[in-house]
Amino acid sequence: MIVFATSDKGGTGRTVTSCNIAYRLSLKGLRVAYLDFDFGSPTAGAILEIGEVERGIANNQGLHSYLLGEATSAARLDVRAATDRPEMRKSRAQVGDFVLFPGDRGGAELKVADADVVNRCVQLLLEVEHKFDVCIVDLSAGRSMAMELVLRATAQPQLLACTVRWLVFYRWTRQHILAAHGLVHGQYGWLTSGMEVGHDEDRLLDNIRYVRTSVPDPTSSNGGSGAQTVWLLEQERQLKRLSSTKIGAEVLGETPVEPMLQWREQVVLDIDVRNEVASDSIVEAFARLANQLIDRRAWARI
Ligand SMILES: Nc1ncnc2c1ncn2[C@@H]1O[C@H](COP(=O)(O)OP(=O)(O)OP(=O)(O)O)[C@@H](O)[C@H]1O
Ligand SMILES: [Mg+2]
């Protein structure tokens, strides 16, 4: 399965949530690949706490260089062997491989998605699809050449038999709901751009789900003022109304606001919950999202 992690806006929690989902999937024994296609700002290495690729990999060994034909293959790192976080290295025997394909250090947004680049992308996706159970591709925010590239690649006949999912991340605010809807349905959004390069609209739509991140609890996030709680609850009602018209039932899941992640981008480990530095609700949310992602019922036609 190939999963594209997308968002219209930046800073939605796309990378942190995707890294945590990838980690949870590997704990379930699945072989997971994480491809950092956020070429201009590769941050997965930092979140997985791999110091040597904190801002991407050096010497043109990353995905950007591979796609442009400047490297014959894309570098890959075993996350559990390479991470600087000892608790992440220790793991139960039955965990699956967890491999990061880093972006290039000092990389830049992709400027071309011509036939050669598309072909290299197809070859890479075919390889990872074959070797891994789940392959998560973190795309840069908004409409980009990376988006164009993966739409073209996934429309190629070689990839048509693969299960391909698209996740749209957004925060629980009015602007984010409208932006997430626009990324899929708007002019130059996934659907129109996808159809232009040969995708079937219904099939594409069936494989798109939304993920709400960092959702606040209106009853606990203020200093206890009654008027403020009433106001926050009204905002929540309005957001739910907007979400039901713009996004509908296609929400795969959500994450609550987690103080640990407000302060530091990282993978939340079970030991963080045991040590009471992270809430169990965030780990439960990541585990639930990981389960939903691989549960066919969550992808039944709506
Ligand atoms: N559930 C959460 N609770 C609190 N903070 C969160 C949560 N999820 C993510 N964050 C924080 O939000 C910020 C943005 O997250 P992240 O970098 O994953 O977003 P992004 O969409 O990948 O951004 P970019 O577009 O810049 O790549 C980070 O500081 C992250 O730790
Ligand atoms: Mg990111």
Side-chain angles (χ1 to χ4, degrees):
M1 178 195 295
I2 305 170
V3 183
F4 293 99
T6 75
S7 66
D8 187 65
K9 290 183 172 292
T12 56
R14 188 183 67 253
T15 308
V16 164
T17 311
S18 301
C19 284
N20 275 279
I21 293 175
Y23 175 69
R24 292 284 141 194
L25 288 168
S26 77
L27 285 187
K28 290 165 74 70
L30 296 173
R31 297 164 299 172
V32 184
Y34 194 99
L35 275 60
D36 198 340
F37 265 44
D38 192 349
F39 304 116
S41 176
T43 51
I47 291 162
L48 300 170
E49 301 188 51
I50 305 176
E52 62 184 286
V53 294
E54 193 170 23
R55 301 295 304 157
I57 195 160
N59 304 326
N60 301 336
Q61 301 174 74
L63 285 168
H64 192 247
S65 297
Y66 162 75
L67 289 167
L68 293 180
E70 292 161 7
T72 47
S73 67
R76 49 206 77 185
L77 287 95
D78 176 340
V79 174
R80 284 198 177 77
T83 183
D84 301 323
R85 186 144 191 225
E87 300 91 336
M88 208 152 127
R89 271 187 248 136
K90 274 186 252 147
S91 56
R92 301 188 294 271
Q94 67 274 38
V95 296
D97 294 343
F98 185 9
V99 174
L100 170 67
F101 290 67
D104 284 280
R105 191 174 302 165
E109 277 305 332
L110 203 62
K111 295 205 174 54
V112 278
D114 61 19
D116 288 340
V117 178
V118 171
N119 187 39
R120 283 182 211 109
C121 184
V122 169
Q123 295 314 317
L124 177 68
L125 292 176
L126 278 173
E127 184 203 336
V128 288
E129 219 274 331
H130 181 68
K131 285 190 181 150
F132 296 89
D133 299 306
V134 182
C135 159
I136 298 183
V137 183
D138 183 8
L139 292 169
S140 47
R143 295 136 175 94
S144 62
M145 195 56 83
M147 165 178 169
E148 180 80 20
L149 168 65
V150 300
L151 277 173
R152 283 184 191 278
T154 50
Q156 300 303 306
Q158 301 99 300
L159 282 174
L160 278 181
C162 299
T163 301
V164 175
R165 311 291 198 202
W166 310 86
L167 296 181
V168 182
F169 291 81
Y170 68 107
R171 291 205 174 224
W172 193 223
T173 73
R174 183 179 164 74
Q175 292 302 319
H176 274 261
I177 293 170
L178 294 172
H181 174 262
L183 182 68
V184 176
H185 296 276
Q187 205 185 1
Y188 312 118
W190 285 107
L191 290 180
T192 41
S193 306
M195 284 189 309
E196 271 168 25
V197 297
H199 280 276
D200 174 74
E201 183 178 18
D202 287 340
R203 187 166 185 229
L204 202 49
L205 209 46
D206 284 346
N207 286 305
I208 295 175
R209 292 289 181 276
Y210 298 81
V211 179
R212 278 178 208 154
T213 64
S214 202
V215 178
D217 175 354
T219 61
S220 71
S221 59
N222 64 85
S225 139
Q228 193 180 45
T229 302
V230 170
W231 188 87
L232 290 172
L233 285 167
E234 175 53 26
Q235 302 316 304
E236 190 191 42
R237 263 192 294 278
Q238 287 187 20
L239 288 181
K240 281 185 176 160
R241 262 203 301 276
L242 184 67
S243 181
S244 73
T245 54
K246 293 291 176 192
I247 294 198
E250 292 142 19
V251 180
L252 192 73
E254 64 178 41
T255 64
V257 174
E258 168 54 40
M260 172 181 263
L261 298 177
Q262 280 180 311
W263 287 83
R264 189 169 190 271
E265 296 84 1
Q266 66 171 82
V267 174
V268 184
L269 305 182
D270 293 342
I271 194 162
D272 297 322
V273 176
R274 283 202 296 280
N275 289 342
E276 300 184 0
V277 291
S279 329
D280 54 2
S281 59
I282 191 71
V283 163
E284 278 166 22
F286 290 142
R288 213 174 309 123
L289 279 168
N291 286 337
Q292 290 287 90
L293 190 57
I294 55 172
D295 184 348
R296 287 193 169 277
R297 287 168 301 180
W299 296 89
R301 176 165 278 193
I302 291 171

